[in-house]
Amino acid sequence: MTHAVAPTETQPWDGRRLQALRRELLRAGVDGFLVPRSDEYLGEYVPPSGERLAWISGFTGSAGLAIVTASQAVLFTDGRYTTQAAAQLDAASWQIRHLTEEPPQDWLAEHAAGLRIGFDPWLHPQSAIDKLGTGATLVPLVANPLDAAWTDRPAPPLAPAVPQPAEFAGRDSGDKRAEAAAALRAAGEAAAVLADPHSLAWLLNIRGGDLDHTPLALGFALLRDDASVELFMAPEKLDEAVRRHLGNAVATHPPAALAGQLAKLAGQRVRIDPDITPVWFAATLTEAGARVQHGEDPCRLPRACKNPVEQEGARQAHRRDAQALARFLAWFDAQAVGQTEMRAAEVLLGFRQALPRFRAESFPAISGAGENGAIIHYRATAATDRAIKPDEAYLIDSGGQFTDGTTDVTRTLWTGPGPAPEALRQRYTRVLQGHISLAVLRFPHGIAGNHIDAVARAPLWQAGLDYDHGTGHGIGSFLSVHEGPVSISRAARPVAIQPGMILSDEPGYYLPGAYGIRIENLLLVQEAAPQPDQKKRFLQFETLTLAPYDRRLIALPLLSPAEIRWIDAYHARVLAEVGPALEAETAAWLRAACAPLQG
């Protein structure tokens, strides 16, 4: 899945907001300012109060960084968002640069050498500042000048935290805290800063509603080496039931108490994950006399390795989600032509909302017809929504948040009634071949996501084609639809894939102005049965997603006999596991969609 929040329908960024920010920069005594997409929790999604990049620029993608100086304003984003950025930004005020091909550190070295560039130490991790601080003097500011200019900024969210029951969490919070504390003691560390709300959610078995699509209660915590926790969260979020659930080993404080509690760690070794913790924490601890140790958040890897209860929850969530997908796909075949992109997304959401344990979409659905499908992070709005036409490709990327699991699935469909063009079928089939190649892969322990990214790209590479996004990402358990530390990408950190992880498998191909192709299933990492003479332990994937591929887009001569057998076996499984739960008309459609490819 790749996605973003909706492009805005009006653009009030005519320079007045930039002017207001520049006035505040003069008051702060700096020559420029960094505006990241993230808020103080450094997550992919932010509440309205954290949409600083959107406020100053109009850009609403989920990845980006702006640099504003007295004379220039530049937005850096990756290949998923360059088309969207060009549509949303005022070209008279803003320049757009590719985040990886023209990185901001290079721009700073060329355009800001010798300048003082301010940044908010709450909004950047240390690793990002270290990377940027080569061409200009980066200055941490006590007050954010953009916030001073943003006079009607919304208040932070205050949705209540709620317990995640053991029937879904699978492990008691006390067991998790004891395991994480043991890791701290083994490293000689007295405490760890937990700056990622996902870690709080997993460690304390709580969820929340501060974000639209990720069930988080935003806050920070300190984990001590004795397995106790100090939780810093707005008191309004913590009712008596949740306080009882947290227990006596978890002390609660308002966020304003954070600096004072950190000061009590003077002389002690404190772990900070430099990739996901705001710079403010290390600076505050160092000033207090604590000894900061860089290391990974002790909850991050255990959270990614789902326990048996979470694994079974994911299976059950996907089986229910498959019912909504089948109903949608049957509706699409019968009624989609003439409907709009937004209407199609609404229909799918309606089918999901009728399912047990459904709580929300796991991200805003990407519903793109024809040329809009070629915009990797497209989301239809009233300004861009268009009718779905006959004889074109349509891409739907969507997911659900269920109390027992998180889903994310993409299918590319042909609207008919005519046959799909041969070039489109050839490219779809190459994407499907890469998708299958990853799904059937067996690989030894120790292999990381960057090692296997090429497996999914190889069929496209053979035809001189590629796609400008990663092949896969981790998925949480009723948590974020994007979860680290493992991803499948050329740029991924070399973190070994481990049993219990759930990863997406989503190669694609995009022809600007014409169509987009992406096929996505979620895969659960499992131990593989040993083969004769096997010396190492191997892993394999279990496919969780259950939805048919569009046979009208498959160029059968391109497929090997083994690939045809895999598709037929997958479709037989979809029919067997999903069909019995469907009403007669949809079940009949699914039987036809899952029929063997060669009759």
Side-chain angles (χ1 to χ4, degrees):
M1 177 276 305
T2 62
H3 51 265
V5 295
T8 48
E9 295 169 25
T10 60
Q11 292 190 339
W13 299 276
D14 56 4
R16 286 175 291 180
R17 293 182 179 181
L18 280 172
Q19 292 169 8
L21 174 58
R22 284 167 173 150
R23 286 193 294 269
E24 294 299 329
L25 298 184
L26 285 173
R27 292 190 182 99
V30 292
D31 303 303
F33 189 63
L34 306 178
V35 185
R37 170 58 168 73
S38 58
D39 64 1
E40 62 266 41
Y41 303 102
L42 304 186
E44 178 179 5
Y45 295 108
V46 299
S49 58
E51 291 279 9
R52 294 176 175 88
L53 183 58
W55 182 84
I56 192 64
S57 70
F59 173 69
T60 59
S62 65
L65 171 74
I67 303 176
V68 177
T69 68
S71 60
Q72 298 190 69
V74 187
L75 173 75
F76 298 84
T77 190
D78 61 35
R80 299 169 297 171
Y81 289 119
T82 49
T83 302
Q84 177 180 326
Q88 290 185 311
L89 268 65
D90 174 17
S93 302
W94 287 88
Q95 305 168 46
I96 300 171
R97 297 288 185 269
H98 195 289
L99 188 63
T100 54
E101 296 175 3
E102 305 171 280
Q105 58 266 31
D106 290 356
W107 189 93
L108 286 169
E110 181 178 354
H111 298 279
L115 298 184
R116 289 166 46 85
I117 304 297
F119 70 94
D120 185 336
W122 279 101
L123 305 183
H124 303 264
Q126 188 63 55
S127 59
I129 292 300
D130 289 345
K131 184 182 294 185
L132 289 173
T134 56
T137 300
L138 299 185
V139 182
L141 301 177
V142 174
N144 188 315
L146 188 148
D147 291 352
W150 189 1
T151 55
D152 59 349
R153 182 183 169 210
L158 291 173
V162 296
Q164 175 73 336
E167 65 177 303
F168 303 131
R171 289 184 65 194
D172 180 74
S173 173
D175 292 340
K176 295 177 181 179
R177 287 186 282 106
E179 180 181 82
L184 297 184
R185 291 194 300 272
E189 296 161 347
V193 170
L194 303 183
D196 183 353
H198 298 86
S199 293
L200 277 59
W202 177 84
L203 185 69
L204 303 178
N205 286 342
I206 58 173
R207 299 294 188 268
D210 284 338
L211 301 177
D212 288 339
H213 304 286
T214 308
L216 293 175
L218 298 176
F220 300 105
L222 281 173
L223 170 66
R224 303 281 189 166
D225 62 357
D226 63 358
S228 66
V229 168
E230 294 183 65
L231 175 63
F232 301 88
M233 189 173 287
E236 298 93 325
K237 300 181 185 182
L238 303 170
D239 64 16
E240 191 56 37
V242 106
R243 290 177 188 273
R244 285 196 304 270
H245 166 78
L246 292 172
N248 294 332
V250 180
T252 61
H253 307 277
L258 188 52
Q261 293 301 114
L262 292 180
K264 295 179 182 180
L265 295 169
Q268 300 182 63
R269 290 162 57 93
V270 181
R271 181 185 301 193
I272 280 185
D273 189 326
D275 294 326
I276 58 174
T277 305
V279 170
W280 179 89
F281 282 89
T284 302
L285 284 165
T286 300
E287 185 177 354
R291 291 177 289 167
V292 172
Q293 306 295 311
H294 285 175
E296 185 162 86
D297 178 329
C299 301
R300 200 174 189 204
L301 185 59
R303 181 176 78 242
C305 298
K306 312 301 184 287
N307 63 56
V309 170
E310 292 172 320
Q311 293 180 38
E312 184 56 29
R315 295 186 186 99
Q316 296 298 333
H318 279 83
R319 290 189 187 108
R320 291 195 303 278
D321 202 49
Q323 298 170 33
L325 292 168
R327 292 176 180 123
F328 171 78
L329 293 172
W331 171 87
F332 188 91
D333 265 6
Q335 301 184 47
V337 172
Q339 302 283 351
T340 70
E341 297 165 323
M342 292 179 71
R343 175 58 184 156
E346 290 168 359
V347 168
L348 177 51
L349 176 57
F351 286 131
R352 281 197 169 105
Q353 287 172 328
L355 297 171
R357 297 179 178 171
F358 177 80
R359 294 295 177 265
E361 292 179 289
S362 55
F363 57 96
I366 295 171
S367 175
E371 71 283 355
N372 287 339
I375 303 172
I376 297 173
H377 275 204
Y378 174 73
R379 183 185 171 204
T381 69
T384 66
D385 192 23
R386 75 159 177 85
I388 299 169
K389 301 173 185 176
D391 294 332
E392 69 177 357
Y394 168 80
L395 188 152
I396 179 70
D397 185 347
S398 67
Q401 290 285 10
F402 300 85
T403 50
D404 51 356
T406 301
T407 70
D408 179 8
V409 52
T410 309
R411 288 295 182 267
T412 303
L413 310 173
W414 179 248
T415 61
E422 182 61 23
L424 172 61
R425 294 172 68 242
Q426 292 272 332
R427 288 164 179 172
Y428 176 92
T429 304
R430 289 187 180 276
V431 172
L432 179 58
Q433 287 176 307
H435 171 84
I436 295 170
S437 295
L438 189 59
V440 302
L441 186 67
R442 286 171 51 94
F443 52 97
H445 275 259
I447 291 296
N450 59 317
H451 299 143
I452 62 175
D453 177 74
V455 170
R457 297 179 189 269
L460 285 163
W461 286 353
Q462 289 174 345
L465 308 173
D466 200 5
Y467 49 95
D468 195 10
H469 59 73
T471 297
H473 55 84
I475 294 92
S477 180
F478 189 37
L479 277 173
S480 178
V481 75
H482 281 162
E483 179 178 86
V486 168
S487 63
I488 303 174
S489 165
R490 284 172 283 196
R493 291 174 53 208
V495 178
I497 298 170
Q498 297 190 26
M501 291 180 172
I502 299 176
L503 303 170
S504 70
D505 171 9
E506 50 180 310
Y509 174 75
Y510 309 89
L511 184 62
Y515 57 79
I517 300 164
R518 187 160 63 252
I519 305 171
E520 178 185 18
N521 286 349
L522 299 192
L523 308 176
L524 172 61
V525 183
Q526 300 276 33
E527 294 281 354
Q531 300 291 327
D533 301 321
Q534 182 175 312
K535 303 300 182 185
K536 296 180 178 180
R537 291 167 57 206
F538 272 65
L539 299 171
Q540 63 185 15
F541 293 120
E542 171 191 341
T543 298
L544 296 173
T545 307
L546 299 167
Y549 308 109
D550 193 333
R551 61 203 306 115
R552 296 166 296 187
L553 287 169
I554 296 175
L556 204 60
L558 268 184
L559 295 176
S560 69
E563 290 167 335
I564 292 172
R565 287 194 299 271
W566 188 92
I567 294 169
D568 286 347
Y570 174 74
H571 279 164
R573 180 186 162 210
V574 170
L575 184 60
E577 295 192 29
V578 183
L582 300 174
E583 55 283 352
E585 186 176 353
T586 306
W589 177 89
L590 189 64
R591 281 194 295 274
C594 292
L597 289 180
Q598 293 184 311

